[in-house]
mmCIF file of all heavy atoms in Angstrom:
data_model
loop_
_atom_site.group_PDB
_atom_site.id
_atom_site.type_symbol
_atom_site.label_atom_id
_atom_site.label_comp_id
_atom_site.label_asym_id
_atom_site.label_seq_id
_atom_site.Cartn_x
_atom_site.Cartn_y
_atom_site.Cartn_z
ATOM 1 N N GLN A 52 -36.792 -29.495 10.037
ATOM 2 C CA GLN A 52 -36.743 -30.175 8.745
ATOM 3 C C GLN A 52 -35.344 -30.085 8.132
ATOM 4 O O GLN A 52 -34.833 -31.066 7.558
ATOM 5 C CB GLN A 52 -37.776 -29.559 7.791
ATOM 6 C CG GLN A 52 -39.226 -29.843 8.172
ATOM 7 C CD GLN A 52 -39.775 -28.869 9.215
ATOM 8 O OE1 GLN A 52 -39.026 -27.977 9.669
ATOM 9 N NE2 GLN A 52 -41.032 -29.071 9.618
ATOM 10 N N TYR A 110 -32.552 -42.124 13.703
ATOM 11 C CA TYR A 110 -31.756 -42.731 14.782
ATOM 12 C C TYR A 110 -31.665 -44.256 14.605
ATOM 13 O O TYR A 110 -30.637 -44.874 14.862
ATOM 14 C CB TYR A 110 -32.361 -42.400 16.137
ATOM 15 C CG TYR A 110 -31.790 -41.160 16.776
ATOM 16 C CD1 TYR A 110 -32.595 -40.062 17.095
ATOM 17 C CD2 TYR A 110 -30.421 -41.078 17.068
ATOM 18 C CE1 TYR A 110 -32.079 -38.927 17.682
ATOM 19 C CE2 TYR A 110 -29.891 -39.934 17.673
ATOM 20 C CZ TYR A 110 -30.718 -38.862 17.962
ATOM 21 O OH TYR A 110 -30.175 -37.736 18.540
ATOM 22 N N GLN A 318 -58.399 -37.596 6.277
ATOM 23 C CA GLN A 318 -57.196 -37.782 5.473
ATOM 24 C C GLN A 318 -56.744 -39.249 5.445
ATOM 25 O O GLN A 318 -56.172 -39.707 4.463
ATOM 26 C CB GLN A 318 -56.057 -36.911 6.018
ATOM 27 C CG GLN A 318 -56.234 -35.425 5.716
ATOM 28 C CD GLN A 318 -55.041 -34.634 6.159
ATOM 29 O OE1 GLN A 318 -54.501 -34.868 7.238
ATOM 30 N NE2 GLN A 318 -54.612 -33.691 5.328
ATOM 31 N N LEU A 336 -72.554 -29.495 9.054
ATOM 32 C CA LEU A 336 -72.231 -29.225 10.453
ATOM 33 C C LEU A 336 -71.253 -28.057 10.558
ATOM 34 O O LEU A 336 -71.416 -27.159 11.392
ATOM 35 C CB LEU A 336 -71.639 -30.483 11.098
ATOM 36 C CG LEU A 336 -71.059 -30.317 12.505
ATOM 37 C CD1 LEU A 336 -72.152 -29.917 13.493
ATOM 38 C CD2 LEU A 336 -70.385 -31.612 12.957
ATOM 39 N N ARG A 339 -72.916 -24.747 10.056
ATOM 40 C CA ARG A 339 -73.649 -24.301 11.255
ATOM 41 C C ARG A 339 -72.704 -23.776 12.313
ATOM 42 O O ARG A 339 -72.961 -22.751 12.958
ATOM 43 C CB ARG A 339 -74.469 -25.464 11.834
ATOM 44 C CG ARG A 339 -75.595 -25.942 10.953
ATOM 45 C CD ARG A 339 -76.649 -26.703 11.760
ATOM 46 N NE ARG A 339 -76.077 -27.674 12.667
ATOM 47 C CZ ARG A 339 -75.854 -28.937 12.351
ATOM 48 N NH1 ARG A 339 -76.147 -29.360 11.119
ATOM 49 N NH2 ARG A 339 -75.354 -29.781 13.225
ATOM 50 N N PHE A 601 -92.446 -68.300 32.627
ATOM 51 C CA PHE A 601 -91.360 -68.174 31.648
ATOM 52 C C PHE A 601 -91.469 -66.936 30.769
ATOM 53 O O PHE A 601 -90.467 -66.475 30.232
ATOM 54 C CB PHE A 601 -91.336 -69.417 30.744
ATOM 55 C CG PHE A 601 -91.257 -70.710 31.499
ATOM 56 C CD1 PHE A 601 -92.395 -71.461 31.752
ATOM 57 C CD2 PHE A 601 -90.044 -71.168 31.984
ATOM 58 C CE1 PHE A 601 -92.329 -72.650 32.460
ATOM 59 C CE2 PHE A 601 -89.968 -72.355 32.700
ATOM 60 C CZ PHE A 601 -91.105 -73.095 32.932
ATOM 61 N N GLU A 617 -92.122 -71.599 22.531
ATOM 62 C CA GLU A 617 -92.099 -72.879 23.224
ATOM 63 C C GLU A 617 -92.195 -74.022 22.231
ATOM 64 O O GLU A 617 -92.625 -73.847 21.085
ATOM 65 C CB GLU A 617 -93.255 -72.974 24.227
ATOM 66 C CG GLU A 617 -94.634 -72.930 23.587
ATOM 67 C CD GLU A 617 -95.749 -72.974 24.616
ATOM 68 O OE1 GLU A 617 -95.773 -73.941 25.401
ATOM 69 O OE2 GLU A 617 -96.578 -72.040 24.634
ATOM 70 N N GLU A 644 -77.434 -108.131 17.636
ATOM 71 C CA GLU A 644 -77.271 -107.402 16.390
ATOM 72 C C GLU A 644 -78.521 -106.564 16.135
ATOM 73 O O GLU A 644 -79.526 -106.685 16.839
ATOM 74 C CB GLU A 644 -77.019 -108.368 15.230
ATOM 75 C CG GLU A 644 -75.772 -109.214 15.372
ATOM 76 C CD GLU A 644 -74.497 -108.374 15.341
ATOM 77 O OE1 GLU A 644 -74.529 -107.284 14.729
ATOM 78 O OE2 GLU A 644 -73.491 -108.810 15.934
ATOM 79 N N GLU A 847 -96.472 -117.702 46.951
ATOM 80 C CA GLU A 847 -97.478 -116.656 46.872
ATOM 81 C C GLU A 847 -97.068 -115.525 47.802
ATOM 82 O O GLU A 847 -96.573 -115.767 48.902
ATOM 83 C CB GLU A 847 -98.844 -117.182 47.273
ATOM 84 C CG GLU A 847 -99.936 -116.096 47.200
ATOM 85 C CD GLU A 847 -101.221 -116.571 47.851
ATOM 86 O OE1 GLU A 847 -101.136 -117.145 48.936
ATOM 87 O OE2 GLU A 847 -102.283 -116.358 47.272
ATOM 88 N N PRO A 882 -99.583 -107.871 42.434
ATOM 89 C CA PRO A 882 -100.918 -107.772 43.047
ATOM 90 C C PRO A 882 -100.888 -107.453 44.530
ATOM 91 O O PRO A 882 -101.802 -106.815 45.042
ATOM 92 C CB PRO A 882 -101.524 -109.159 42.798
ATOM 93 C CG PRO A 882 -100.795 -109.670 41.599
ATOM 94 C CD PRO A 882 -99.403 -109.139 41.714
ATOM 95 N N ILE A 883 -99.828 -107.874 45.240
ATOM 96 C CA ILE A 883 -99.841 -107.673 46.691
ATOM 97 C C ILE A 883 -99.747 -106.206 47.072
ATOM 98 O O ILE A 883 -100.207 -105.807 48.147
ATOM 99 C CB ILE A 883 -98.698 -108.464 47.352
ATOM 100 C CG1 ILE A 883 -98.930 -108.477 48.869
ATOM 101 C CG2 ILE A 883 -97.345 -107.871 47.002
ATOM 102 C CD1 ILE A 883 -98.018 -109.419 49.589
ATOM 103 N N GLY A 1079 -119.303 -46.089 23.667
ATOM 104 C CA GLY A 1079 -120.662 -46.414 24.062
ATOM 105 C C GLY A 1079 -121.711 -45.515 23.488
ATOM 106 O O GLY A 1079 -122.892 -45.619 23.860
ATOM 107 N N ILE A 1082 -123.963 -47.789 18.201
ATOM 108 C CA ILE A 1082 -124.141 -49.229 18.069
ATOM 109 C C ILE A 1082 -124.049 -49.559 16.585
ATOM 110 O O ILE A 1082 -124.668 -48.881 15.749
ATOM 111 C CB ILE A 1082 -125.505 -49.689 18.620
ATOM 112 C CG1 ILE A 1082 -125.524 -49.582 20.144
ATOM 113 C CG2 ILE A 1082 -125.786 -51.130 18.215
ATOM 114 C CD1 ILE A 1082 -126.865 -49.966 20.740
ATOM 115 N N GLY A 1085 -125.468 -55.560 12.031
ATOM 116 C CA GLY A 1085 -125.390 -56.212 10.735
ATOM 117 C C GLY A 1085 -126.584 -57.105 10.540
ATOM 118 O O GLY A 1085 -127.093 -57.710 11.492
ATOM 119 N N ARG A 1147 -110.299 -70.584 11.870
ATOM 120 C CA ARG A 1147 -109.057 -70.051 11.316
ATOM 121 C C ARG A 1147 -108.662 -68.778 12.054
ATOM 122 O O ARG A 1147 -109.519 -67.954 12.378
ATOM 123 C CB ARG A 1147 -109.196 -69.757 9.817
ATOM 124 C CG ARG A 1147 -109.284 -71.033 8.970
ATOM 125 C CD ARG A 1147 -109.437 -70.741 7.492
ATOM 126 N NE ARG A 1147 -109.508 -71.982 6.729
ATOM 127 C CZ ARG A 1147 -108.575 -72.390 5.863
ATOM 128 N NH1 ARG A 1147 -107.493 -71.644 5.674
ATOM 129 N NH2 ARG A 1147 -108.706 -73.527 5.213
ATOM 130 N N LEU A 1413 -142.917 -108.153 9.333
ATOM 131 C CA LEU A 1413 -143.470 -108.150 10.682
ATOM 132 C C LEU A 1413 -143.950 -106.739 11.008
ATOM 133 O O LEU A 1413 -143.157 -105.790 11.061
ATOM 134 C CB LEU A 1413 -142.409 -108.606 11.698
ATOM 135 C CG LEU A 1413 -141.632 -109.886 11.328
ATOM 136 C CD1 LEU A 1413 -140.651 -110.242 12.432
ATOM 137 C CD2 LEU A 1413 -142.611 -111.043 11.083
ATOM 138 N N VAL A 1483 -131.231 -99.581 31.633
ATOM 139 C CA VAL A 1483 -131.213 -100.866 30.950
ATOM 140 C C VAL A 1483 -132.160 -101.782 31.724
ATOM 141 O O VAL A 1483 -132.080 -101.870 32.958
ATOM 142 C CB VAL A 1483 -129.795 -101.471 30.902
ATOM 143 C CG1 VAL A 1483 -129.851 -102.933 30.469
ATOM 144 C CG2 VAL A 1483 -128.917 -100.679 29.960
#
Side-chain angles (χ1 to χ4, degrees):
Q52 291 84 359
Y110 268 120
Q318 287 185 318
L336 171 63
R339 294 201 314 269
F601 306 98
E617 63 182 303
E644 299 295 333
E847 180 191 45
I883 192 170
I1082 289 178
R1147 289 179 180 247
L1413 312 182
V1483 167

